[in-house]
Amino acid sequence: MLKSVGAVLAAPRSAWNGAGASIPVTYVDVAAAAGITFQHDNAASTEKYLIETMGSGCGWIDYDQNGLMDLYLVNGAATRLYTPKHRLQSALYRNNGDGTFTDVTLKAGVGAEGLFGMGVAVGDYDNDGFPDLFVLGYGRCILFHNNGDGTFTDVTAKVGVENSGRWGSSAAWFDYDNDGRLDLVIANYVDWAPDNNFWCGDHGPGLRSYCHPDNYHGQAPTLFHNNGDGTFTDVSVRSGVGAKPGNGLGVVTFDYDDDGWQDIFVANDSMPNFLFHNNRDGTFREVGYMAGVAVSMDGTSEAGMGVDAADASGSGRMDLIVTHLDSQLARFYQNMGGGVFDDATLRSKISYATFHMSGFGTRFMDYDNDGWRDIFMCDGHILDNIERYRGEVRYAEPKLMFRNTGRGIFENVSNRLGADFVRPRVSRGAAIGDFDNDGDLDVLVNNNGELAQLLRNDGGNANHWLEIFLIGTKSNRDGVGARVKLTAGDLTLYDQREGGMSYQSAQDPRLHFGLGAHATVEALEIKWPSGVVTKLAGIKSDQIISVNEGEGLVERPFPRVAAKTR
């Protein structure tokens, strides 16, 4: 546990856990070679509709449960000002297991045509063993139920989760009342509409800009309770989650105070962030200011967009990362215990590198498997004419990777990860996953108005690793809310099965641990939301394991991709 801030941040990496050394890693964009031809259409117009610049998300979903991660990419739609040259739809790509993907959107029935899409969330809401697909958008959302045969059915109206009239950005499946069923929280943005599309920016050729969210009223988050009969009830107001409006963009659910109940963090754009503490009685209390995560260290509200939570400082507690627009800093909030976070952005050394960047999708991820959670960010400005206003800022921006050198001190290693990694793009959603099952983490990015990217990690598995697929029985089947402690030699790691994360995107459901030089995991402890505790010992590294609540290790195939796409 932490003794003092100074002691924690000064401790060298090798002094406390024997984690592995840094290894060479390159990220290679294999999207085209893998057959991923998707290009996001943002319906750009001279009227600068705000919805044009805020999307779009992406996600990992093993929809056919064959042990290979498939992927989903969210698209825009026609507007009253924009008629596309071809039909617009979101896309589902099946992982063929040989480094290539096949577009199966039409067969699966998940194109979401006509929806101006924003985000995606994946969760098995009916505990039938097949993950379902929730697509967020402007004005409404769609829930596609997985039929288990390669097809999906739109059950939105029947289930009651349309979120009608709101601008849904990001969502998280999580079990807030620990009843064994996944509930749904949605971060809603502002009340923009074509009829109140104000003129923003200067008057002159090429000077009109997308409006700031302060020009509109915010929208409160939505919380849907899973009734267990295939329907949901809107409990936003009753629970306290919908008590006040926000400009919600990113959401993550996690247990920040380690009481066994998931809490909700919402990154708000240009207003204080929300941290909803779970009262364990079906209600939440908003404690963002008291916890120290509502605003920056100088008391300023910032343009909160992407968000994630993980133990990045070695305390066993979940820290937070929040991305912002340029001229602000991405914030690293260190969890100090007792329900309090400290803005450790400057101490963490991530600060200046983000000053001219506009960060969206972000994740804590151990890209080199050395046992420390690093920070990934994908970037791209909101304004497509920003260079006419600020010469040092660009619309398309490179991605960032900050290597954790120990106890939450980071080093910018972006330029070491290859030309594809730093190639400027207008990036929004980012989903982290191991699509080739080789033990190192790959990155899926949906770029606004541009081709999608699949950045394959080459070299990260030179260090040891372990991935864990959780199967709840008494708890929700996805195991969301489970807390995990892993011990390998003098390396002790903590993680949680969270909901949401990043920006408008769905993550690989398997928990990933970099193990450095450790070839064996001596002890693994899983605390399930139900209260059941699973303890395992003597697990060999460099494999993907499945753990069933109440049973322990179970056989489940996770085939290694046969050939690397070049």
Side-chain angles (χ1 to χ4, degrees):
M1 303 299 287
L2 296 177
K3 295 182 179 179
S4 70
V5 173
V8 167
L9 295 177
R13 162 187 301 254
S14 59
W16 75 286
N17 70 2
S22 178
I23 56 176
V25 173
T26 302
Y27 276 95
V28 179
D29 185 0
V30 298
I36 300 168
T37 59
F38 178 89
Q39 178 165 343
H40 178 255
D41 192 325
N42 64 347
S45 72
T46 57
E47 293 298 306
K48 303 288 185 179
Y49 279 1
L50 189 56
I51 53 173
E52 298 168 8
T53 196
M54 298 307 296
S56 208
C58 56
W60 296 107
I61 174 173
D62 182 6
Y63 78 97
D64 50 4
Q65 289 296 281
N66 66 350
L68 294 165
M69 297 308 303
D70 313 299
L71 63 88
Y72 191 80
L73 294 154
V74 180
N75 212 348
T79 69
R80 64 171 65 172
L81 296 176
Y82 177 76
T83 301
K85 297 179 180 178
H86 53 84
R87 64 187 296 186
L88 295 184
Q89 58 182 3
S90 298
L92 175 65
Y93 282 86
R94 183 180 187 273
N95 189 334
N96 298 322
D98 61 359
T100 67
F101 290 77
T102 298
D103 187 336
V104 295
T105 308
L106 292 178
K107 178 181 178 182
V110 292
E113 190 170 353
L115 175 71
F116 203 106
M118 289 288 149
V120 59
V122 174
D124 184 2
Y125 76 89
D126 56 354
N127 290 332
D128 67 352
F130 288 91
D132 308 299
L133 193 64
F134 185 70
V135 185
L136 300 101
Y138 171 72
R140 64 187 177 97
C141 300
I142 301 174
L143 177 59
F144 292 107
H145 176 262
N146 190 332
N147 299 321
D149 60 0
T151 68
F152 292 75
T153 300
D154 181 346
V155 296
T156 313
K158 174 184 176 182
V159 168
V161 292
E162 188 175 28
N163 202 39
S164 180
R166 301 181 181 97
W167 178 345
S169 177
S170 299
W173 291 103
F174 77 128
D175 184 3
Y176 76 86
D177 52 0
N178 286 348
D179 66 353
R181 299 185 292 266
L182 288 179
D183 310 300
L184 181 66
V185 62
I186 300 173
N188 295 309
Y189 198 40
V190 297
D191 68 345
W192 174 90
D195 292 334
N196 65 2
N197 188 58
F198 310 123
W199 185 290
C200 295
D202 296 330
H203 288 268
L207 295 179
R208 185 171 185 176
S209 298
Y210 295 104
C211 287
H212 193 277
D214 285 351
N215 288 279
Y216 306 97
H217 296 293
Q219 297 181 323
T222 306
L223 179 62
F224 288 109
H225 177 259
N226 189 331
N227 300 322
D229 59 359
T231 68
F232 288 75
T233 298
D234 187 338
V235 295
S236 308
V237 175
R238 183 197 320 168
S239 67
V241 170
K244 58 181 179 180
N247 298 339
L249 287 177
V251 61
V252 61
T253 62
F254 69 114
D255 182 5
Y256 78 93
D257 55 357
D258 201 33
D259 66 354
W261 298 73
Q262 281 212 313
D263 312 295
I264 306 168
F265 180 86
V266 177
N268 282 319
D269 187 358
S270 303
M271 65 173 292
N273 302 315
F274 294 150
L275 177 60
F276 294 101
H277 178 263
N278 193 328
N279 295 326
R280 297 179 282 181
D281 60 1
T283 68
F284 292 81
R285 184 175 75 258
E286 205 287 296
V287 297
Y289 272 107
M290 290 186 290
V293 295
V295 294
S296 67
M297 67 176 72
D298 56 3
T300 303
S301 297
E302 296 177 306
M305 294 183 288
V307 63
D308 194 18
D311 175 19
S313 51
S315 67
R317 297 186 287 267
M318 303 292 279
D319 309 307
L320 278 167
I321 185 71
V322 186
T323 57
H324 299 108
L325 279 178
D326 70 293
S327 301
Q328 301 170 357
L329 303 175
R331 295 287 164 187
F332 176 64
Y333 294 104
Q334 184 177 351
N335 191 333
M336 308 305 292
V340 175
F341 292 77
D342 183 59
D343 185 345
T345 303
L346 298 182
R347 296 196 307 270
S348 72
K349 299 185 179 181
I350 68 170
S351 54
Y352 183 74
T354 68
F355 184 75
H356 291 305
M357 299 289 189
S358 295
F360 280 86
T362 187
R363 284 295 314 276
F364 287 109
M365 58 178 289
D366 188 355
Y367 81 94
D368 57 358
N369 283 336
D370 68 350
W372 286 98
R373 299 301 170 100
D374 313 300
I375 298 174
F376 167 82
M377 298 178 192
C378 69
D379 309 290
H381 207 276
I382 291 292
L383 306 182
D384 55 0
N385 58 357
I386 184 61
E387 294 172 40
R388 303 191 68 167
Y389 288 94
R390 290 202 286 275
E392 73 281 5
V393 179
R394 299 289 180 267
Y395 182 43
E397 299 173 337
K399 295 164 185 61
L400 293 171
M401 185 75 81
F402 297 94
R403 181 174 181 263
N404 193 336
T405 62
R407 299 286 193 181
I409 302 296
F410 297 90
E411 173 191 12
N412 185 358
V413 297
S414 310
N415 289 331
R416 304 178 196 171
L417 301 183
D420 289 347
F421 188 84
V422 294
R423 185 165 287 117
R425 290 289 184 268
V426 185
S427 299
R428 297 292 185 256
I432 307 302
D434 182 8
F435 83 88
D436 46 9
N437 288 341
D438 67 350
D440 49 32
L441 294 176
D442 313 300
V443 182
L444 176 67
V445 180
N446 202 358
N447 297 308
N448 186 270
E450 299 178 332
L451 291 166
Q453 293 172 286
L454 177 56
L455 297 169
R456 188 189 64 214
N457 184 323
D458 288 349
N461 57 10
N463 276 328
H464 293 296
W465 55 275
L466 183 73
E467 293 178 20
I468 305 171
F469 183 73
L470 299 176
I471 305 171
T473 52
K474 186 177 180 181
S475 303
N476 66 85
R477 181 159 182 115
D478 289 353
V480 177
R483 295 166 291 160
V484 179
K485 178 182 178 181
L486 178 152
T487 303
D490 53 0
L491 176 66
T492 302
L493 301 174
Y494 300 84
D495 202 4
Q496 296 181 13
R497 179 72 163 86
E498 305 165 52
M501 298 171 277
S502 189
Y503 178 81
Q504 299 183 345
S505 298
Q507 311 302 310
D508 189 327
R510 300 167 297 189
L511 298 179
H512 172 271
F513 294 89
L515 300 176
H518 299 284
T520 302
V521 172
E522 278 81 20
L524 183 68
E525 180 181 274
I526 302 168
K527 296 180 179 178
W528 300 85
S530 66
V532 171
V533 177
T534 300
K535 294 184 178 182
L536 303 170
I539 302 170
K540 291 183 179 180
S541 65
D542 305 325
Q543 63 171 324
I544 305 171
I545 63 172
S546 294
V547 182
N548 186 287
E549 180 182 13
E551 184 177 351
L553 288 174
V554 293
E555 289 292 328
R556 191 180 182 95
F558 295 100
R560 181 76 66 94
V561 166
K564 291 261 187 179
T565 304
R566 297 296 176 188

